[in-house]
């Protein structure tokens, strides 16, 4: 999730942009994972997407939303406690 962290750092943790950064980071992981699956299994891209991406889209999106909500609240509390700047 190097991509997500880089994007979030640059946009100062704004909620919508932070979610977009996480989605982009997840998409990068999907791309590399799908490419690897196609090479390893010697299958076409459509099959790889149907097996390795599509079944996980809803769950991954739900986790992104949850992580954003928890992360924003945690960041707020850490700032209030003067543990982060």
């Amino acid at each position: 999730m190097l991509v997500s962290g880089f994007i979030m750092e640059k946009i100062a943790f704004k909620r919508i942009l932070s979610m977009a950064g996480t989605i982009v980071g997840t998409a990068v992981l999907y791309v590399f994972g799908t490419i690897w699956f196609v090479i390893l299994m010697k299958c076409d891209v459509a099959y790889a997407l149907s097996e390795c991406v599509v079944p996980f889209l809803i769950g991954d999106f739900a986790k992104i939303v949850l992580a954003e909500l928890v992360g924003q609240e945690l960041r707020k509390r850490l700032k209030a406690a003067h543990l982060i700047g």
Side-chain angles (χ1 to χ4, degrees), residues 1-29 68 72 75:
M1 298 303 278
L2 181 67
V3 173
S4 299
F6 178 77
I7 292 171
M8 283 188 256
E9 191 175 276
K10 296 297 178 192
I11 56 137
F13 297 100
K14 293 182 175 108
R15 179 168 280 161
I16 298 299
L17 295 175
S18 179
M19 273 183 60
T22 306
I23 290 169
V24 169
T26 301
V28 169
L29 293 173
E68 184 58 36
Q72 288 290 333
R75 203 171 295 111

Side-chain angles (χ1 to χ4, degrees), residues 45-83:
V45 174
Y47 177 77
L49 290 172
S50 72
E51 293 297 313
C52 302
V53 176
V54 174
F56 301 100
L57 287 174
I58 293 172
D60 283 350
F61 184 74
K63 287 185 270 186
I64 288 168
V65 171
L66 183 62
E68 184 58 36
L69 294 173
V70 170
Q72 288 290 333
E73 184 62 29
L74 183 59
R75 203 171 295 111
K76 206 183 317 176
R77 291 180 186 211
L78 288 172
K79 279 184 180 182
H82 304 291
L83 296 173

Side-chain angles (χ1 to χ4, degrees), residues 20-46:
T22 306
I23 290 169
V24 169
T26 301
V28 169
L29 293 173
Y30 280 152
V31 167
F32 283 106
T34 301
I35 291 169
W36 181 251
F37 188 83
V38 166
I39 292 168
L40 189 65
M41 299 302 291
K42 297 178 178 72
C43 64
D44 62 13
V45 174

